[in-house]
Amino acid sequence: MKLLATLPFVVAMASASAQVYKCPDATGKLQFQQTPCAGANGSKVEVRPASGNAPAPTQSTAGGNASTGTAEKKSFTDTLTEERMQRERWVKLNDAKLDADRMRSSCEQEQRTIQARQASSKNNLAGATRDQAIAAEMQAAATTCQNRVTGADRIVDRLQGECDRLGCRAPGT
């Protein structure tokens, strides 16, 4: 009878002493293990008993709200959602960089096309007038392109700032 009464306490003590460490492997994927990580690039994971009564967080493991002193825990779903959002931010950032590069390339091609028309002008009054019109067209095209590229660069800068602040992860990582 005494053995049955002490059994829950023994089980609770055994589960409370379990330690789990989250360590990145050589490819950057997370591995969970019972021994501390090699080097200083891992972290200890607080494991709660199945009853839901977690031990009070210690000063070194409390990473949450400083005003209340409680550690905020993320659910598995929240972690997956955050990782998905990080990958989506990374994809948006790279798409914006590609769009900006395409715009620059398109503008350079447009300038070369206009310049090629200017080379065919004859050296007379009509040719000089045509050269002036082509020069004005080149200036207008350059201004339009510069505005589009500047807008694309602003989007890239904004997304890069978000990635720096919130974190971005490449798909598959």
Side-chain angles (χ1 to χ4, degrees):
M1 207 49 153
K2 287 182 183 179
L3 178 62
L4 289 176
T6 59
L7 185 61
F9 294 112
V10 171
V11 171
M13 287 174 38
S15 67
S17 66
Q19 294 180 353
V20 177
Y21 296 89
K22 180 170 61 171
C23 307
D25 66 6
T27 63
K29 292 185 180 178
L30 290 179
Q31 301 291 326
F32 294 91
Q33 59 192 39
Q34 293 178 346
T35 58
C37 304
N41 57 351
S43 62
K44 184 176 178 181
V45 178
E46 186 177 326
V47 179
R48 294 183 186 181
S51 66
N53 297 327
T58 61
Q59 191 73 334
S60 63
T61 60
N65 191 343
S67 63
T68 61
T70 60
E72 293 181 19
K73 301 292 178 199
K74 292 183 186 176
S75 71
F76 183 69
T77 305
D78 290 342
T79 302
L80 289 177
T81 301
E82 183 178 316
E83 289 174 358
R84 179 183 51 80
M85 291 177 73
Q86 289 173 344
R87 287 188 299 274
E88 287 174 359
R89 277 191 292 271
W90 186 88
V91 168
K92 278 184 183 179
L93 172 63
N94 285 302
D95 285 348
K97 286 179 181 179
L98 287 172
D99 286 344
D101 288 343
R102 282 188 205 113
M103 280 186 203
R104 280 186 192 85
S105 213
S106 171
C107 287
E108 290 168 1
Q109 180 60 37
E110 185 178 3
Q111 288 293 315
R112 283 192 296 271
T113 302
I114 294 171
Q115 245 177 350
R117 286 196 337 243
Q118 191 175 24
S120 67
S121 294
K122 296 189 178 179
N123 196 9
N124 57 27
L125 181 60
T129 305
R130 184 170 185 249
D131 283 349
Q132 286 178 343
I134 290 173
E137 183 182 355
M138 283 180 72
Q139 182 62 41
T143 302
T144 301
C145 281
Q146 183 62 36
N147 290 339
R148 284 188 296 176
V149 168
T150 300
D153 286 341
R154 282 189 191 126
I155 292 170
V156 168
D157 291 343
R158 180 181 55 81
L159 291 171
Q160 184 66 56
E162 282 182 25
C163 280
D164 292 345
R165 189 176 72 253
L166 301 172
C168 286
R169 294 179 61 177
T173 61

